[in-house]
Amino acid sequence: MGYYNNVFDGCNDQTDIGGVIRDGREVILQAYNWESHKHDWWKNLDGKVPDIAKSGFTSAWLPPPSQSLAPEGYLPQDLYSLNSAYGSEHLLKSLLRKMKQYKVRAMADIVINHRVGTTRGHGGMYNRYDGISLPWDEHAVTSCTGGLGRRSTGDNFNGVPNVDHTQHFVRKDLIGWLRWLRNTVGFQDFRFDFARGYSAQYVKEYIGAAKPLFSVGEFWDSCKYNGHGLDYNQDSHRQRIINWIDATGQLSAAFDFTTKGILQEAVKGQFWRLSDPQGKPPGVMGWWPSRAVTFLDNHDTGSTQAHWPFPSHHVMEGYAYILTHPGIPCVFYDHFYDWGSSIHDQIVKLIDIRRRQDIHSRSTVRVLEARANLYAAVVGEKLCMKLGDASWCPSGRDWTLATSGHRYAVWHK
């Protein structure tokens, strides 16, 4: 099968920040895990670019590119230094060039909620940035985390100075840096880390100024649990994510943590969870699919951190769900490359079916069955799928089995 035809080949499309979201045919690979910094990462990925492209991924989310106090990249210090535990600036740029050649967009992990200081300032805290690029003083740090700035416009990320985005000089500097990543370094997409930490209005401003082709925010807070486990109704959870998307001026998508939380319970024999009271998908995907980035695990929930892991024996059912449904699916590196060739190939097959049946982020879903051991749905006009160990197949002669695996099957017309 050929590579995905990227609609952004024409140079006049390079600044169309709404185009990717409008098209709705993205499939993202999270191209690292929590341990990647130990494995010469930019070089490792360089060798995988042809396979990533051939598999049908349109964008690969890379770990934070800047120098950081912690090797994983999430305690950034000198934003303009691209020598990190993942490799040198030279290797990163060569990887980005190769991705461009294979038409896979590179997504930068944007960590701007907090920044580790270099020198002690007000109150004896490390809240100054002397001696590196963007040499801010204590006014760049929120008052709630030991700086002389204003109060945070979101939740605190504890233990490090949090950036005060209300300061004009801070926003001006960050926009300069984001434009540099976008226009000089060669990243095309952005992922906003810890988006709960600062107001979404700033994300809107940053996207508008730097013009990434696609953006997604990590707005992660807890689902609603009761004494017996996860509540059936997660409307308040998905509404908070939707409010965040709205506040970015609808310019950013968001990770669908609601769908993840529900799906990982549903696959344990509670498939009734996959239909909300209106008969729609119960996550962000059911309300605003064009802005919902669906996923099973990431470097926090899975990998060696395993804060909230998807049940490992059910990952293919999980992928059979998100890769046949609306929203923007994101596949985790570990599942794709570290869990064996069978899982890799089953995921590739599902991505291929998604493309051939023209399933996109806004495709319609008609839920046919949602009970303990069976979920079945028709997606778009020409795809039907089931999950669970109950036997089921679609009625009508024109359905053909497209693929099947452990507890899942997909048909097409």
Side-chain angles (χ1 to χ4, degrees):
M1 85 182 231
Y3 302 127
Y4 260 71
N5 249 326
N6 194 322
V7 290
F8 295 105
D9 288 347
C11 25
N12 57 339
D13 290 323
Q14 286 304 307
T15 54
D16 183 5
I17 50 180
V20 172
I21 279 182
R22 276 199 303 279
D23 181 56
R25 283 164 180 82
E26 303 311 296
V27 182
I28 301 167
L29 174 69
Q30 176 175 1
Y32 68 101
N33 61 35
W34 195 244
E35 304 296 322
S36 298
H37 62 90
K38 299 171 181 169
H39 304 286
D40 211 352
W41 204 247
W42 301 143
K43 203 174 253 175
N44 168 55
L45 284 182
D46 200 275
K48 290 194 157 57
V49 171
D51 184 66
I52 292 169
K54 187 166 70 102
S55 300
F57 293 105
T58 55
S59 179
W61 157 25
L62 304 183
S66 300
Q67 178 265 334
S68 158
L69 199 67
E72 299 84 11
Y74 292 95
L75 294 178
Q77 194 168 44
D78 189 347
L79 294 181
Y80 277 96
S81 167
L82 296 179
N83 295 306
S84 73
Y86 295 104
S88 65
E89 171 172 3
H90 173 75
L91 285 171
L92 170 60
K93 286 185 168 167
S94 125
L95 168 64
L96 295 183
R97 275 195 303 274
K98 188 160 187 179
M99 289 174 69
K100 217 170 207 134
Q101 190 190 328
Y102 279 88
K103 296 187 168 62
V104 177
R105 296 196 316 275
M107 179 184 290
D109 200 328
I110 304 299
V111 187
I112 50 176
N113 170 74
H114 48 273
R115 185 184 179 201
V116 175
T118 56
T119 44
R120 288 181 195 268
H122 170 76
M125 313 274 281
Y126 280 89
N127 51 18
R128 294 180 58 87
Y129 302 90
D130 304 303
I132 54 172
S133 62
L134 309 184
W136 299 337
D137 67 9
E138 299 92 327
H139 292 92
V141 176
T142 60
S143 57
C144 11
T145 59
L148 292 173
R150 299 188 180 94
R151 286 189 61 74
S152 174
T153 54
D155 295 342
N156 284 338
F157 187 91
N158 294 320
V160 274
N162 284 218
V163 173
D164 181 5
H165 293 263
T166 71
Q167 305 287 353
H168 183 262
F169 77 92
V170 165
R171 295 203 304 282
K172 184 167 111 353
D173 281 350
L174 288 177
I175 285 168
W177 176 67
L178 292 168
R179 282 177 170 159
W180 174 74
L181 288 178
R182 172 77 181 90
N183 303 320
T184 305
V185 180
F187 285 101
Q188 292 162 294
D189 297 353
F190 289 164
R191 177 257 184 192
F192 289 91
D193 179 64
F194 198 69
R196 279 168 48 201
Y198 51 101
S199 168
Q201 78 187 69
Y202 302 122
V203 173
K204 177 183 183 178
E205 185 178 337
Y206 299 147
I207 293 172
K211 298 184 170 47
L213 292 179
F214 177 77
S215 295
V216 56
E218 180 205 24
F219 191 91
W220 181 14
D221 65 3
S222 295
C223 284
K224 209 166 152 214
Y225 290 86
N226 57 51
H228 313 287
L230 186 73
D231 271 6
Y232 165 64
N233 186 318
Q234 295 293 331
D235 287 356
S236 60
H237 188 265
R238 58 176 164 173
Q239 187 63 55
R240 289 193 295 277
I241 297 175
I242 277 172
N243 293 346
W244 182 86
I245 298 167
D246 228 359
T248 70
Q250 314 187 358
L251 292 179
S252 183
F255 287 106
D256 191 348
F257 282 94
T258 320
T259 290
K260 172 185 167 47
I262 294 169
L263 185 59
Q264 65 189 26
E265 299 305 319
V267 293
K268 300 172 189 168
Q270 303 178 1
F271 285 112
W272 45 268
R273 292 182 179 277
L274 293 184
S275 177
D276 75 5
Q278 283 69 49
K280 284 171 134 28
V284 180
M285 177 213 287
W287 279 355
W288 205 351
S290 68
R291 301 295 190 282
V293 175
T294 53
F295 71 103
L296 304 190
D297 266 326
N298 61 33
H299 58 288
D300 289 323
T301 65
S303 188
T304 50
Q305 295 200 88
H307 290 314
W308 197 39
F310 200 90
S312 56
H313 297 304
H314 296 277
V315 296
M316 277 319 306
E317 288 159 88
Y319 282 120
Y321 181 79
I322 69 171
L323 290 170
T324 59
H325 276 58
I328 299 159
C330 180
V331 173
F332 186 37
Y333 183 92
D334 293 25
H335 299 149
F336 198 62
Y337 282 120
D338 292 346
W339 287 32
S341 60
S342 166
I343 288 190
H344 173 283
D345 296 349
Q346 288 178 75
I347 291 171
V348 170
K349 180 77 179 154
L350 288 166
I351 294 172
D352 185 48
I353 293 166
R354 181 180 186 86
R355 189 178 56 115
R356 287 173 190 273
Q357 302 312 118
D358 198 32
I359 303 301
H360 51 81
S361 67
R362 295 176 183 80
S363 292
T364 55
V365 178
R366 203 163 82 247
V367 178
L368 304 176
E369 299 280 355
R371 42 191 160 97
N373 59 348
L374 175 66
Y375 172 79
V378 175
V379 184
E381 305 297 311
K382 303 183 301 185
L383 184 144
C384 183
M385 59 84 69
K386 68 147 278 209
L387 302 174
D389 50 21
S391 64
W392 185 90
C393 62
S395 53
R397 285 207 181 136
D398 36 5
W399 291 108
T400 313
L401 187 67
T403 191
S404 64
H406 187 54
R407 296 205 184 101
Y408 74 88
V410 183
W411 295 265
H412 61 75
K413 278 189 171 174

